[in-house]
Amino acid sequence: MKWRSSHFEPAHLASAIWNIAAHDITHRSYFIHFEKEIRSRNPSLFTHRDLAMIMWAYGKAQFRASLLFKKLRHEIMTRDLARFTVEEICNIVWAYARTGEPSAKLFFALKIEILKRDLKEVEESSLIVILWSYSVIAVNIKPLFRAIKYEILRRGLHCFTHRQLSQIMGSYGRQTMHAPDLFEKVSSEIMQRGVQNFEPGWLVAVADGFAKSENYNQDLFKVIGDHIVNEDLSPYEPLQVIRLFWAFINAGLLTKSLHIKLTNQILLCDFPKLKDVSLEELVKALENNDFKAPELVAATEAELVRRSEAKC
């Protein structure tokens, strides 16, 4: 297919790369080839939908195509943003956040456009995508997050799935936005639904979001802590356990039994295989830990030394 792409119409190019990404095909050769092919075309020939589909595809594959994104960004900025659908805007900002491409001007312009829309007509899934994307690439997001918060509260938390609730908390937490009215409502909603019904990643996002935003709801943290103490933590990834550890330390609500459970689980990790971000967050947690954890401290220090020597 890619070898015939020079004969494709713009819409077919967009559809082709979208389908490749949608089917989880991540081979670099496809994305490199289509990037060059799309860049060789006049961007004005692509529809709004085409542009959003192309960007979504590269975001899905997390393939950084800086020259392509720069060209498409300039094209989008020349157009009337009011003519883009909410779904198209979501695909664009999500793609930039996923790939980490710089896009301050575009994100600012799209933020203004989103605020012009009637949020009552925006689907819950789109609100979540907007929150997550702007929490990753922040461009004066307070007015946007405030508007979405009011809309979330207006329609009620029952409209959101367990996963979406965790994503909301994760997004506000990532930007350390306090929003006590929202967090209090979510806390009550989570306890009503039962923390046992939240998957590991979702529960971690909740605890992390509450801790980062300094919403230290003791009742919620106690319920989560009690659940973790009695839970098999083998399904949890190392970074997830470390983030739970940090969240409870940061909230000042780490109990001795929970401390033992989490530190023992972290000690089961293969430290040389820990990602740098995991090790960094573990160090930060240990620096503020009021309980003694000599074995974990020793294992962490040994791994830090090993990595330092490996760089020499």
Side-chain angles (χ1 to χ4, degrees), residues 110-258:
L110 290 174
K111 180 195 71 174
I112 298 302
E113 181 56 38
I114 293 168
L115 286 170
K116 292 178 182 177
R117 307 290 178 99
D118 184 356
L119 294 181
K120 293 178 182 178
E121 298 180 0
V122 179
E123 294 181 358
E124 285 82 14
S125 58
S126 294
L127 290 176
I128 300 302
V129 169
I130 292 168
L131 280 175
W132 181 82
S133 301
Y134 274 88
S135 73
V136 173
I137 302 182
V139 184
N140 187 21
I141 62 171
K142 286 187 178 180
L144 176 62
F145 273 46
R146 189 178 302 117
I148 293 178
K149 179 190 73 171
Y150 290 140
E151 177 53 29
I152 290 172
L153 293 174
R154 185 200 67 79
R155 64 179 69 180
L157 298 177
H158 65 277
C159 296
F160 298 88
T161 65
H162 292 62
R163 180 182 183 182
Q164 288 173 337
L165 285 179
S166 71
Q167 290 171 320
I168 292 169
M169 294 297 89
S171 296
Y172 279 85
R174 193 174 292 110
Q175 286 302 314
T176 63
M177 296 190 68
H178 194 48
D181 48 351
L182 175 62
F183 277 82
E184 188 62 36
K185 290 282 188 181
V186 172
S187 174
S188 297
E189 183 70 19
I190 291 172
M191 288 192 287
Q192 182 179 337
R193 295 189 188 189
V195 296
Q196 71 276 8
N197 295 314
F198 283 74
E199 293 186 8
W202 306 347
L203 201 58
V204 172
V206 168
D208 193 54
F210 271 80
K212 285 180 177 175
S213 61
E214 298 184 353
N215 284 284
Y216 305 133
N217 186 296
Q218 293 189 22
D219 291 337
L220 178 63
F221 272 91
K222 184 179 186 308
V223 170
I224 294 176
D226 290 345
H227 172 70
I228 294 299
V229 167
N230 296 298
E231 178 82 339
D232 173 17
L233 297 184
S234 58
Y236 286 71
E237 297 176 3
L239 181 57
Q240 292 175 335
V241 180
I242 290 169
R243 284 190 172 162
L244 279 174
F245 187 47
W246 175 87
F248 276 86
I249 289 173
N250 191 59
L253 298 170
L254 183 67
T255 63
K256 186 174 182 179
S257 57
L258 183 57

Side-chain angles (χ1 to χ4, degrees), residues 21 26 29 48 55 62 67 87 96 107 173 203 210 221 229 235 250 271 274 276 278 280 283:
T26 58
S29 64
H48 301 338
M55 290 187 157
Q62 287 189 293
L67 293 177
E87 183 182 2
Y96 272 98
F107 260 60
L203 201 58
F210 271 80
F221 272 91
V229 167
N250 191 59
F271 275 69
L274 281 179
D276 288 342
S278 299
E280 289 168 7
V283 169

Side-chain angles (χ1 to χ4, degrees), residues 94-106:
W94 182 80
Y96 272 98
R98 284 269 294 179
T99 58
E101 285 291 332
S103 52
K105 284 187 177 180
L106 177 61

